[in-house]
């Protein structure tokens, strides 16, 4: 595997979780602002 392939693989391995965690963070903030539950369940 060349150095360029390793860099692309590492960048992809970092980008995917960062994208998912970023989306989850946006959902969490919006749910706090709107007063909803984060995962759509009823706690009561």
């Amino acid at each position: 595997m060349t150095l360029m392939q390793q860099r692309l693989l590492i960048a992809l391995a970092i980008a995917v979780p960062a994208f998912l965690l970023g989306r989850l963070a946006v959902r969490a903030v919006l749910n706090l602002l709107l007063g909803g539950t984060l995962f759509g369940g009823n706690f009561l």
Side-chain angles (χ1 to χ4, degrees):
M1 200 182 297
T2 66
L3 187 61
M4 188 65 180
Q5 285 175 329
Q6 281 183 333
R7 285 184 180 178
L8 285 173
L9 193 63
I10 292 170
L12 190 65
I14 293 172
V16 171
F19 175 73
L20 295 174
L21 287 174
R23 282 184 55 103
L24 187 61
V26 168
R27 280 187 60 195
V29 169
L30 286 176
N31 273 290
L32 283 173
L33 288 175
L34 297 173
T37 58
L38 184 58
F39 299 106
N42 290 328
F43 289 127
L44 297 176

